[in-house]
Amino acid sequence: MTIVHQLLLLVLGTLFLTNQTKAVAITGPKGGVNSATGQRPFRQEISSFQNSGPAFDLYILSFQRFVQQNNTNLLSYYQVAGIHGQPYVAWDGVNGPYKTGYCTHGSILFPTWHRPYLALFEQILWNHAQDIAANYPTSIRSKYQDAAVNFRIPYWDWASNPMMPAAVNKATIKINTPTGPQTIANPLYSYTFQAQSGFPANDRLANFKTTVRYPNSAGQSQPNLVNKQLLANANSLRTLTYQLLVQQSNYASFSNTGYQDGRGGLYNSLENMHNSIHGLVGNGGHMGNVPYSAFDPIFWLHHANVDRLFAIWQAIYPNSFVTSQRNALGTFTAAPGGVENVDTALTPFHGTSPGQIYTSTTARYTKTFGYTYPEVVDWGVDSTQLSANVRTKLNALYNPKGTISKRDTNTTTTTKTNSTANHQYFVNIRVDKTALNSTSFFIHFFLGPFSDKPSTWSYDPALAGSHTIFASSSSCSLQAGSSTTVYGQIPLTHSLANAVSSGILRDLSPSEVIPLLTKSLQWRVQQFDDSAVDAKLLPSLQVNVVGQEVKPAAKQSDFPAFGEVVAYKTVTAGKAGGSGDGDGL
């Protein structure tokens, strides 16, 4: 980068500012970091973290203090959550003219923008934890202060633990406070709005007093139905997670749903899987609506896992990174249709230097923000060994049998579905994300007969997987020539393997599979109010089935070998939204 270019970027960064004295320097927690070796604390999976004692107590109490801050406080939960979307106002003096949030979706910056956002959240909780730990009785204070120094936010690995964590499902929670054991309102369960000034009065979610998940007609959360949906999609989530990390070595197609060039037959992306969780957890509630999603406390557990998958991917493919891509919808500070690249400012997140706003270059590594994940121990090893170590851990976690495996959704065990499986199959989906008036919706895929009751589609026994279109209701106008087409993928192999186990198929060869899919594969479109939508009303929808050969890895640090992606267009031809000849992969 030339000096002129660097100066131009600095000028552009300072143009966003109205009052530099307000700037919050985002560093992430620095406690527990060994600056000589690079060793730093792990963010931990919530199912084990909730049993950590002092660390979990501090997490709950810090979160409680965070949400209790007055809305006028720049570092209140209301204002920090509002960075993502509503109420579409400037944060930390970073102005913008557009009626949308700062967040980047369908964007090459999707993974990198959320990294300093999470670091800000973590930094705020860490600071609260230091104050709270100092108030514990002297007999246990040192344990809490040690836990506070090393505190990092947890993540929810929904590919391994598909149901919502137990800690987020209870309205109250018992913890050890500085004054002894207490049962308090659980800050992970929901967020109660102090005030909603700036939210549009005609927006349904603006009138809720608390965040909700899959609300019923009375506006109450339905956690049992959320978990039914998640369990019904467990196989899909696990397969997509492993497939993405193993097969997608190009950052652009890995990163987001809006990338269109050079995808080939791999329509899956980090954002595609991220969208699924937003839809399945939210489904008419706050998590299912981009402008309000960050107000739901489960957002932060979810996005910490998204960042974890990004960090794992980076360790495996360290040389691929952000390229140029047009962002059709824009952000609070960026016009719709603009081109983003590695030097685009990740507004509104300030670094430590005056006028500095993070870019993908400066936010590239987790060590910048003082944390890592259990799979990514990147000190004391070179990049080659790190990649091998991460591949070994990834195989053990998501593919322990050495083949593409399925999750038995009735238990917590993982079993090999077919010891001779040598093919995998996916549904590729293309559709305009604004197709239903810029509201979010599902496309459910079934293999075999399914219920005629739309409210049960998301957990029907014949369900192969639910694809989520995570749309924004922002009022930005599209630039002429911009495309809001998004790409996604649903795996079919787990459903087909069940057909092999039950004797319907002899094996997973195309000669066996394609006739069955042609006869039995169906899909339905559904809005988040459980109402069905005729797929013929989505002219942009294109559905296609692809498959490829799979050869198991020779050793635990290797990945399976995959053959060329083949399109089987006869499967979907003639069905509403089905791709025909000439439509590509």
Side-chain angles (χ1 to χ4, degrees):
M1 187 187 304
T2 66
I3 294 178
V4 173
H5 193 190
Q6 290 175 329
L7 290 173
L8 178 60
L9 290 173
L10 180 60
V11 171
L12 289 174
T14 56
L15 286 177
F16 293 119
L17 298 179
T18 58
N19 188 346
Q20 180 59 39
T21 61
K22 290 185 178 180
V24 175
I26 299 172
T27 63
K30 292 305 180 183
V33 177
N34 187 321
S35 58
T37 65
Q39 184 173 352
R40 52 204 184 278
F42 296 136
R43 290 177 178 172
Q44 300 176 52
E45 214 281 328
I46 182 65
S47 61
S48 58
F49 182 71
Q50 65 189 5
N51 298 318
S52 61
F56 186 72
D57 292 337
L58 290 171
Y59 174 54
I60 296 298
L61 289 171
S62 297
F63 213 126
Q64 180 192 53
R65 180 178 289 189
F66 189 17
V67 299
Q68 289 173 345
Q69 300 299 303
N70 190 282
N71 288 354
T72 59
N73 185 338
L74 184 67
L75 298 181
S76 66
Y77 188 86
Y78 179 83
Q79 289 213 27
V80 171
I83 291 170
H84 195 264
Q86 286 282 9
Y88 303 158
V89 296
W91 186 82
D92 201 18
V94 181
N95 279 341
Y98 304 103
K99 291 297 182 181
T100 188
Y102 291 100
C103 66
T104 54
H105 290 269
S107 162
I108 197 77
L109 308 180
F110 169 74
T112 54
W113 183 89
H114 286 85
R115 180 158 285 172
Y117 191 29
L118 285 166
L120 169 64
F121 173 79
E122 188 168 55
Q123 181 176 324
I124 293 170
L125 289 187
W126 187 89
N127 285 332
H128 286 314
Q130 309 313 303
D131 294 340
I132 294 168
N135 291 318
Y136 275 84
T138 54
S139 60
I140 57 173
R141 185 177 301 160
S142 62
K143 291 181 179 179
Y144 278 85
Q145 288 181 320
D146 287 345
V149 169
N150 291 285
F151 172 82
R152 299 297 185 270
I153 59 173
Y155 62 89
W156 167 32
D157 179 9
W158 27 256
S160 291
N161 303 300
M163 290 199 297
M164 287 192 296
V168 310
N169 279 335
K170 301 176 291 186
T172 60
I173 192 166
K174 186 174 182 179
I175 55 168
N176 189 36
T177 75
T179 57
Q182 288 188 27
T183 298
I184 65 171
N186 185 0
L188 305 182
Y189 181 72
S190 64
Y191 169 67
T192 299
F193 294 94
Q194 298 176 17
Q196 296 175 324
S197 60
F199 290 179
N202 62 346
D203 194 321
R204 181 181 64 89
L205 287 176
N207 297 311
F208 280 77
K209 294 182 179 180
T210 65
T211 56
V212 291
R213 300 163 188 157
Y214 197 176
N216 59 20
S217 58
Q220 299 169 327
S221 292
Q222 303 178 98
N224 290 340
L225 289 185
V226 172
N227 280 330
K228 287 184 73 171
Q229 293 184 143
L230 289 166
L231 279 173
N233 281 273
N235 293 324
S236 178
L237 291 169
R238 186 181 182 87
T239 300
L240 285 176
T241 299
Y242 185 72
Q243 179 260 343
L244 178 70
L245 296 171
V246 168
Q247 288 193 258
Q248 190 52 270
S249 60
N250 175 269
Y251 173 89
S253 46
F254 161 83
S255 64
N256 74 99
T257 58
Y259 178 73
Q260 299 182 26
D261 300 324
R263 276 196 180 276
L266 301 176
Y267 280 21
N268 190 19
S269 66
L270 183 65
E271 188 179 11
N272 174 57
M273 295 187 302
H274 148 275
N275 291 352
S276 294
I277 298 300
H278 273 282
L280 295 170
V281 172
N283 197 358
H286 294 76
M287 267 287 281
N289 189 290
V290 174
Y292 295 96
S293 59
F295 289 103
D296 188 329
I298 204 172
F299 173 96
W300 307 97
L301 288 164
H302 168 44
H303 268 275
N305 190 53
V306 173
D307 182 75
R308 166 181 164 265
L309 296 178
F310 178 33
I312 289 172
W313 184 91
Q314 287 182 294
I316 300 170
Y317 311 104
N319 298 321
S320 183
F321 199 47
V322 176
T323 55
S324 296
Q325 180 182 313
R326 191 176 299 277
N327 185 343
L329 295 177
T331 70
F332 185 71
T333 56
V339 175
E340 299 169 327
N341 58 40
V342 73
D343 296 318
T344 300
L346 304 178
T347 56
F349 307 122
H350 292 100
T352 56
S353 302
Q356 176 200 1
I357 292 181
Y358 278 102
T359 66
S360 295
T361 298
T362 54
R364 183 170 184 171
Y365 300 111
T366 62
K367 63 184 178 182
T368 301
F369 301 105
Y371 70 94
T372 189
Y373 297 97
E375 298 84 2
V376 187
V377 180
D378 56 8
W379 51 90
V381 294
D382 59 23
S383 60
T384 301
Q385 186 60 54
L386 174 62
S387 179
N389 292 346
V390 173
R391 289 195 303 270
T392 299
K393 292 178 181 179
L394 189 63
N395 282 329
L397 184 59
Y398 296 132
N399 193 28
K401 301 294 183 179
T403 63
I404 304 300
S405 58
K406 72 165 267 192
R407 163 84 45 181
D408 181 348
T409 56
N410 295 316
T411 70
T412 58
T413 62
T414 299
T415 59
K416 193 190 303 182
T417 60
N418 182 9
S419 61
T420 60
N422 61 353
H423 284 83
Q424 64 177 7
Y425 299 89
F426 297 91
V427 176
N428 278 345
I429 307 123
R430 280 182 286 177
V431 70
D432 184 346
K433 73 182 297 182
T434 65
L436 294 182
N437 298 317
S438 296
T439 59
S440 301
F441 59 95
F442 291 122
I443 307 175
H444 302 294
F445 291 87
F446 307 94
L447 194 59
F450 59 96
S451 172
D452 59 1
K453 188 177 180 181
S455 61
T456 66
W457 284 349
S458 57
Y459 46 86
D460 191 276
L463 183 75
S466 299
H467 177 61
T468 300
I469 304 301
F470 190 40
S472 174
S473 57
S474 66
S475 58
C476 290
S477 300
L478 295 178
Q479 184 185 70
S482 294
S483 172
T484 51
T485 298
V486 290
Y487 294 71
Q489 200 166 57
I490 292 291
L492 298 173
T493 313
H494 56 278
S495 295
L496 294 168
N498 287 337
V500 173
S501 298
S502 61
I504 297 173
L505 294 175
R506 288 181 295 180
D507 54 43
L508 293 180
S509 64
S511 62
E512 284 284 309
V513 167
I514 300 310
L516 177 66
L517 291 179
T518 303
K519 177 183 177 181
S520 302
L521 181 65
Q522 303 178 71
W523 55 90
R524 293 293 184 270
V525 180
Q526 182 189 44
Q527 292 184 299
F528 280 6
D529 61 2
D530 286 343
S531 63
V533 177
D534 190 341
K536 294 177 181 178
L537 299 179
L538 277 67
S540 63
L541 178 62
Q542 290 192 349
V543 175
N544 197 11
V545 169
V546 298
Q548 62 186 160
E549 289 189 69
V550 183
K551 294 182 179 180
K555 56 183 180 179
Q556 190 66 15
S557 62
D558 290 341
F559 287 151
F562 300 91
E564 181 180 356
V565 178
V566 178
Y568 299 103
K569 298 181 181 180
T570 58
V571 173
T572 58
K575 302 176 184 179
S579 296
D581 290 340
D583 287 331
L585 294 174

